[in-house]
Amino acid sequence: MSYLEATDLVRSYEQSSRGLFRKPHKFRALDGVSLKLEKGTTLGIVGESGCGKSTLARVLLGLLDADGGCVTLNGQPTLNLPDTQWRALRRSMQLVYQDAGGALDPRLRVRDQIEEPLHIHNLPLDAVERILVSVGLFSALADRYPHELSGGQLQRVVIARALVLDPELLVLDEPVSALDVSIQAQIVNLLMDLQRDRGLTYLFVSHDLGVVRQISTRVAVMYLGRIVEEAPRAALFANPLHPYTRILIDAVPKPDPSLRRTTRIEIGAPPNPADPPSGCSFHPRCPLATARCTVEPPALRDFGDRRVACHLIKETV
Amino acid sequence: MFWFLTKSLRAVITLLLVVTFVFFVLRLSGDPTYMLLPDDIDEATRTFYRQLWGLDKPIFVQYLNYLGALLQGDFGISFRNNQDAFQLVWDRVPKTALLTGTSLVISLVIGIPLGIVAALYRDSWIDRAVMAASVFGFSMPNFFLGILLILIFSLNLRVLPSSGSGTWRHLIMPASTLGISFAAQFARYTRSSMIDVLNKSYMRTAQSKGAGTARRVNLHALPNAAIPVITILGLKVGELLGGAVITETVFAWPGLGRLLTSAVASRDLAVVQCIMILLAITMVVANMLTDLTYGWLDPRVRVGAKAGSR
Amino acid sequence: MTDTTLVRRRCHALIRWFSETPLTVTLAASFMVLMLFVMLFAQIIQPYAFDHIDLMNRISPPVPLQGSTLMHPAGTDTLGRDLFSRLLVGAQTSMLLALLGTCLGAILGITLGFLAAHKGRLWDEAIMGLVDFQAAMPWFIVALAVLAFLGNSMVMFIAIMALYGWETYARITRGLVLSAREQGYALAVRGLGARPRWIYLRHILPNISGPLLVQLTVNFPSTILFETSLSFLGLGIRPPMTSLGQMLGEGRDYLISAWWLAVVPGVMIFLITLSMSILGDWLRSKLDPSLEN
């Protein structure tokens, strides 16, 4: 049994009807997502905007309800729990997301906010000093207000607050996307150090392949609410199987022009999630699409320790 | 269409709540046959009313009977002149309408232009003067203003009558008293609404197209600025009626307000209940009209479909 | 830092504050501080008991005018009662009632607003329905009716005053809470495992207290006018008690013979409402410069 296991997660949204007679539009942000996460590793989730990766992050944490499927943490189910159990579970899993400043109360000092989880769960406060040191924040900085800190410092504060309860799982949703590139590197390194020192398990959601490549053990690629490919990091980047993954990796600017593939595949326009294509949802943008792809959605199949959802990938890989 | 039905439903519910409120307060205050009928009425009539209102029946039946009576326009009989309450009240409506109508006109005629001018010359001495005047205007208690006016114009200068009604001379002081506070409020709302609109980008577009000030103000700014002001207008009807009660009392203007205060003082409950319910109907209708006008004026509201946010 | 330097810094800060605030606001604030003083110490300051009768000096006008006496600088009424003392006690009564009414109304409205925002659905509909009902009727007229039906006792009057304006607090609180709840930090603290009450009291309430405070100062003048209007009509505070409105109502009968009996209390009411309005405006502009209007 893996540390974190998700099976067939489904979450739909309903767009309210525009008229008296049109039925409300339902679209699936998560369309049957299954994954496994081993303790101490990092699963990177990549995809374009609207593919459902942020929704996935929040459903796994229990911050959003799932309309179908289940999630277990250490074998215990985590979805649709009663309030008390849900609150107790917060000590095992926390979220860090993009808007660090927005995640903090502008009226309280930073130190008070890092202490807050300990107050909420009636725990002693001695962890705070150690945490500040681990995330690289001076004690003096902790006595300031959020508006007095830089973006990078704020993200460290948020990470500190997330870790003060000593969780095992950290879900990170675009944690560095709003930061300067140089600061990004610092925070990513910090996260990796923390993982090593504390044995943390990460779910790292991002649209930035470069960062994902640095921090992940395994990488999953999402498209329109489904996982289309999942593989160990090196294998995915060296030999992407799914056409969409190939396009994504091609789209990352490479410093050495001679390394560019001779045939550039255009990435095309992102789809409308409310009106998904039939069959394989990628087929309108896929340069290799066949007739079968327009009718039959491909299943996520295992190939060794990789999974791919594409009709064109044969067994001999 | 659907929206209109919901609004009507809410209006009816509000009205029902008011009527129920009055019903219970009435029952709490004592035996209605004593409250709603003159003391010297004979036993036969009292028994008649007792039966009519079903006072020996369970309270729910009484409530239904009460509703029925109201719908037939039967509010009871006024103490003072042994007159039917409804008739007494209805006779006074034109006077109050005249007073409130004139006050409203005065307040709009003074308030809106001042607000526009203040917005156009923002931060100048004109603006500051208008703002100061408006703060004075709505801080002044209207009963005090009325008394001051009487003191100056009736008792000292002797140019205007201090009470009664009948000529424009009688009307001018009460209407001004009632109107000043609202003029002040309208000036402020108009000013802030105009400032908002003037700052919007479509005004600069108009300016860069070469439109002159007058055209910009009249064609572009005013209609958009009018929208919030009209909404406020609807909301102020209640205050206007409340203010009318006091103003009529101060100036002995023979309208509903004066009737209400004397009825309250003499505990003439039939009249009080009648005025209350009539007022509720007026308010509800005014609110609905405001909503309708607002919807008609602002096309964004009309489209109305909510974005599916969670 | 030595004591003297600290004191000097504080003085500088105070002077800077004074010079930065407009003169009108400073005057208004000073007047309200004076009123607060009166409200607390009227019984100590007053030269005479407010119902002390001095028939020798009845109907004497305020000091600069002919026929006045220095014993009663603000004048006397038909029973020779000192107007200044009555003014103090009247102001005290009006202020206390307005304060009580405003606070009770605020507490009621804010609580209901929180409930509506927190519980949602049926509670929200019910509470907003009550808000609509309250907003639909001019409360002044409802108060008249209730006073007529149920009699005019002190408890009843305070209850009526408490119910004046609660719906504005409820509406504002509900709106503010709904939007504050969606703020990042509110969601983040929920993710830390906090109970709703923790989030409301520790995060949401402090962050919405600004607009609520402004609403309090905006409501206060209206509450004073509400009480004085009712007392003026003889339906609120009645003799032997006195309030500013009651004095004005009494004085109205003597406009010809003793105009100061009505004018002096009236000016007092006007100054109180004016000061609070100025303060309210200034607070609102300090709170959110973009709402300068």
Side-chain angles (χ1 to χ4, degrees):
Chain A
M1 163 127 295
S2 308
Y3 176 62
L4 179 75
E5 266 189 48
T7 319
D8 279 332
L9 289 175
V10 173
R11 183 172 164 90
S12 322
Y13 282 105
E14 219 174 79
Q15 261 181 351
S16 62
S17 49
R18 293 247 138 210
L20 217 50
F21 297 106
R22 253 178 275 169
K23 278 216 290 248
H25 238 72
K26 244 192 176 155
F27 74 95
R28 293 189 153 192
L30 294 179
D31 195 5
V33 171
S34 305
L35 54 85
K36 292 192 172 81
L37 187 54
E38 301 302 334
K39 200 146 198 243
T41 67
T42 302
L43 177 64
I45 314 254
V46 293
E48 291 168 310
S49 313
C51 69
K53 49 191 201 301
S54 288
T55 314
L56 176 63
R58 281 161 178 76
V59 168
L60 287 173
L61 278 170
L63 292 175
L64 286 178
D65 286 331
D67 296 327
C70 63
V71 176
T72 61
L73 186 72
N74 270 331
Q76 305 297 320
T78 67
L79 291 186
N80 302 322
L81 290 176
D83 269 350
T84 339
Q85 287 180 39
W86 186 88
R87 279 198 294 267
L89 201 57
R90 298 307 99 202
R91 295 183 55 185
S92 312
M93 36 158 68
Q94 280 296 319
L95 172 71
V96 173
Y97 60 95
Q98 183 172 354
D99 185 8
L104 295 169
D105 189 332
R107 291 177 164 262
L108 295 176
R109 285 180 214 275
V110 153
R111 181 187 295 273
D112 295 328
Q113 304 197 52
I114 297 180
E115 282 178 5
E116 189 170 2
L118 299 171
H119 286 296
I120 292 174
H121 293 270
N122 285 321
L123 296 169
L125 297 178
D126 27 312
V128 175
E129 284 305 322
R130 274 179 282 129
I131 288 279
L132 286 174
V133 169
S134 337
V135 301
L137 278 176
F138 285 114
S139 209
L141 277 183
D143 291 322
R144 298 226 186 122
Y145 289 95
H147 67 264
E148 298 173 303
L149 299 180
S150 72
Q153 290 166 331
L154 286 174
Q155 196 60 289
R156 290 177 196 264
V157 170
V158 171
I159 293 172
R161 183 174 68 174
L163 290 177
V164 82
L165 288 175
D166 212 11
E168 298 170 331
L169 173 68
L170 215 55
V171 173
L172 303 124
D173 186 2
E174 310 272 11
V176 295
S177 307
L179 302 173
D180 289 339
V181 177
S182 52
I183 311 289
Q184 281 188 19
Q186 286 180 20
I187 301 291
V188 171
N189 286 330
L190 170 66
L191 287 171
M192 292 174 73
D193 289 341
L194 287 168
Q195 179 174 40
R196 187 193 59 227
D197 294 338
R198 293 167 154 249
L200 296 170
T201 311
Y202 287 161
L203 191 86
F204 196 95
V205 174
S206 181
H207 65 273
D208 184 340
L209 282 174
V211 171
V212 165
R213 184 174 191 164
Q214 201 186 343
I215 198 174
S216 310
T217 324
R218 291 181 69 92
V219 180
V221 180
M222 279 188 75
Y223 190 78
L224 273 191
R226 297 195 185 123
I227 293 184
V228 295
E229 182 166 4
E230 196 219 327
R233 171 196 48 200
L236 187 101
F237 281 94
N239 185 16
L241 292 178
H242 195 281
Y244 179 57
T245 320
R246 293 181 59 184
I247 294 179
L248 277 184
I249 293 178
D250 266 347
V252 175
K254 292 175 182 49
D256 185 352
S258 62
L259 288 177
R260 270 195 230 132
R261 294 179 199 268
T262 44
T263 49
R264 293 280 323 273
I265 310 173
E266 282 311 307
I267 196 155
N272 176 8
D275 193 10
S278 55
C280 170
S281 37
F282 184 60
H283 83 252
R285 294 162 75 186
C286 183
L288 310 171
T290 67
R292 189 184 175 198
C293 302
T294 59
V295 219
E296 188 186 325
L300 194 58
R301 292 176 291 160
D302 290 321
F303 295 93
D305 65 351
R306 303 177 68 154
R307 298 187 291 163
V308 188
C310 181
H311 293 303
L312 301 169
I313 310 298
K314 301 289 183 264
E315 289 295 338
T316 57
V317 117
Chain B
M1 174 46 69
F2 190 63
W3 169 87
F4 180 73
L5 286 177
T6 4
K7 290 282 179 192
S8 314
L9 191 67
R10 287 189 101 173
V12 168
I13 292 182
T14 312
L15 220 50
L16 214 61
L17 277 173
V18 174
V19 167
T20 314
F21 177 73
V22 173
F23 174 74
F24 276 110
V25 171
L26 219 77
R27 287 293 174 273
L28 282 174
S29 63
D31 185 343
T33 51
Y34 287 90
M35 299 285 128
L36 293 178
L37 303 170
D39 282 335
D40 54 352
I41 215 169
D42 57 84
E43 237 353 273
T45 323
R46 185 160 279 148
T47 325
F48 169 70
Y49 271 103
R50 205 175 275 274
Q51 274 197 335
L52 183 69
W53 292 335
L55 291 178
D56 39 359
K57 301 218 183 69
I59 201 146
F60 186 63
V61 181
Q62 285 188 40
Y63 180 59
L64 289 176
N65 286 342
Y66 177 71
L67 282 182
L70 287 187
L71 285 173
Q72 289 173 34
D74 181 4
F75 290 85
I77 295 182
S78 158
F79 282 161
R80 264 132 17 99
N81 0 31
N82 274 327
Q83 252 183 291
D84 176 44
F86 182 70
Q87 198 54 48
L88 196 62
V89 168
W90 191 250
D91 285 340
R92 300 267 192 144
V93 168
K95 290 284 185 198
T96 303
L98 178 63
L99 178 62
T100 44
T102 319
S103 309
L104 200 59
V105 167
I106 290 182
S107 61
L108 288 174
V109 161
I110 296 182
I112 294 189
L114 279 181
I116 295 178
V117 165
L120 285 176
Y121 294 101
R122 189 178 172 181
D123 287 336
S124 69
W125 66 269
I126 299 182
D127 185 16
R128 275 198 283 269
V130 168
M131 281 291 100
S134 82
V135 170
F136 268 66
F138 70 74
S139 299
M140 170 72 80
N142 62 351
F143 47 91
F144 184 48
L145 182 62
I147 287 182
L148 277 180
L149 288 181
I150 291 181
L151 200 58
I152 299 175
F153 291 103
S154 299
L155 299 181
N156 281 329
L157 297 179
R158 296 183 187 276
V159 290
L160 293 173
S162 67
S163 63
S165 72
T167 69
W168 68 268
R169 284 177 200 274
H170 288 100
L171 182 59
I172 190 171
M173 280 203 299
S176 309
T177 308
L178 191 54
I180 293 278
S181 164
F182 293 100
Q185 292 184 46
F186 283 132
R188 291 185 71 137
Y189 282 119
T190 314
R191 175 184 177 275
S192 67
S193 180
M194 276 295 280
I195 288 180
D196 271 346
V197 165
L198 286 173
N199 279 336
K200 290 245 179 18
S201 45
Y202 56 76
M203 287 305 296
R204 280 198 286 279
T205 315
Q207 186 175 21
S208 61
K209 281 200 284 179
T213 312
R215 184 184 166 80
R216 275 184 292 138
V217 168
N218 294 324
L219 192 61
H220 296 278
L222 272 184
N224 285 295
I227 296 169
V229 179
I230 293 193
T231 337
I232 299 294
L233 204 93
L235 295 173
K236 292 294 174 187
V237 171
E239 269 182 57
L240 201 62
L241 291 173
V245 170
I246 298 200
T247 315
E248 287 184 15
T249 310
V250 170
F251 288 97
W253 180 269
L256 280 179
R258 183 130 187 281
L259 183 62
L260 183 62
T261 40
S262 52
V264 165
S266 57
R267 298 200 74 188
D268 191 351
L269 298 182
V271 171
V272 173
Q273 135 189 278
C274 185
I275 296 182
M276 278 277 289
I277 292 177
L278 221 62
L279 236 48
I281 297 178
T282 315
M283 291 295 304
V284 160
V285 168
N287 280 337
M288 278 207 63
L289 282 176
T290 317
D291 279 337
L292 282 171
T293 323
Y294 188 66
W296 175 68
L297 277 177
D298 189 346
R300 292 172 294 177
V301 174
R302 255 185 276 155
V303 172
K306 299 185 291 269
S309 58
R310 286 184 77 112
Chain C
M1 196 177 295
T2 63
D3 282 339
T4 41
T5 341
L6 197 61
V7 167
R8 202 173 330 146
R9 279 189 110 198
R10 294 267 165 87
C11 281
H12 282 170
L14 202 65
I15 294 175
R16 213 178 325 128
W17 184 84
F18 262 115
S19 55
E20 275 174 18
T21 24
L23 182 64
T24 43
V25 176
T26 321
L27 285 175
S30 321
F31 184 74
M32 285 318 293
V33 168
L34 195 64
M35 283 296 106
L36 203 65
F37 193 67
V38 166
M39 184 178 91
L40 295 170
F41 301 116
Q43 272 71 20
I44 304 178
I45 313 173
Q46 62 182 355
Y48 302 85
F50 78 98
D51 49 1
H52 171 83
I53 297 181
D54 182 5
L55 290 172
M56 291 283 292
N57 284 311
R58 46 198 293 269
I59 315 194
S60 64
V63 151
L65 300 174
Q66 189 185 38
S68 62
T69 157
L70 277 175
M71 277 174 59
H72 299 281
T76 59
D77 67 0
T78 52
L79 290 177
R81 295 179 292 192
D82 180 41
L83 196 60
F84 183 63
S85 309
R86 286 181 70 76
L87 206 65
L88 290 177
V89 175
Q92 178 187 50
T93 314
S94 292
M95 293 274 300
L96 274 176
L97 279 172
L99 211 60
L100 196 62
T102 306
C103 288
L104 288 177
I107 293 176
L108 179 66
I110 294 176
T111 315
L112 285 179
F114 260 106
L115 268 177
H118 175 58
K119 298 262 188 176
R121 276 168 298 165
L122 211 62
W123 282 79
D124 191 14
E125 285 296 326
I127 293 179
M128 282 300 109
L130 279 177
V131 166
D132 281 343
F133 169 64
Q134 177 91 359
M137 288 295 292
W139 188 245
F140 184 68
I141 298 185
V142 175
L144 284 181
V146 171
L147 289 171
F149 288 137
L150 298 178
N152 184 11
S153 69
M154 194 44 133
V155 175
M156 178 68 58
F157 191 60
I158 293 184
I160 289 180
M161 290 211 48
L163 287 175
Y164 176 66
W166 72 266
E167 84 273 12
T168 327
Y169 294 110
R171 218 178 241 155
I172 294 181
T173 309
R174 174 183 174 274
L176 286 173
V177 170
L178 283 180
S179 60
R181 257 203 331 213
E182 300 306 311
Q183 291 291 317
Y185 55 83
L187 296 171
V189 175
R190 180 172 167 256
L192 291 170
R195 304 182 111 94
R197 198 156 40 129
W198 175 281
I199 306 179
Y200 284 131
L201 286 177
R202 196 170 142 92
H203 290 281
I204 296 191
L205 191 58
N207 276 298
I208 68 174
S209 58
L212 285 180
L213 206 71
V214 171
Q215 183 59 33
L216 256 152
T217 52
V218 166
N219 221 17
F220 190 79
S222 312
T223 317
I224 293 232
L225 287 180
F226 184 75
E227 179 268 316
T228 44
S229 303
L230 282 176
S231 304
F232 171 75
L233 292 177
L235 290 166
I237 302 291
R238 285 173 309 179
M241 291 188 64
T242 183
S243 86
L244 293 176
Q246 192 266 335
M247 289 170 69
L248 225 173
E250 257 182 23
R252 181 180 158 221
D253 296 330
Y254 301 99
L255 276 183
I256 301 181
S257 48
W259 55 267
W260 56 91
L261 293 180
V263 172
V264 173
V267 168
M268 196 66 154
I269 302 175
F270 175 56
L271 286 178
I272 294 179
T273 45
L274 186 65
S275 305
M276 283 308 286
S277 298
I278 293 179
L279 278 178
D281 270 354
W282 178 72
L283 265 181
R284 199 179 343 199
S285 67
K286 288 294 268 205
L287 179 75
D288 191 348
S290 71
L291 295 179
E292 189 256 66
N293 322 297

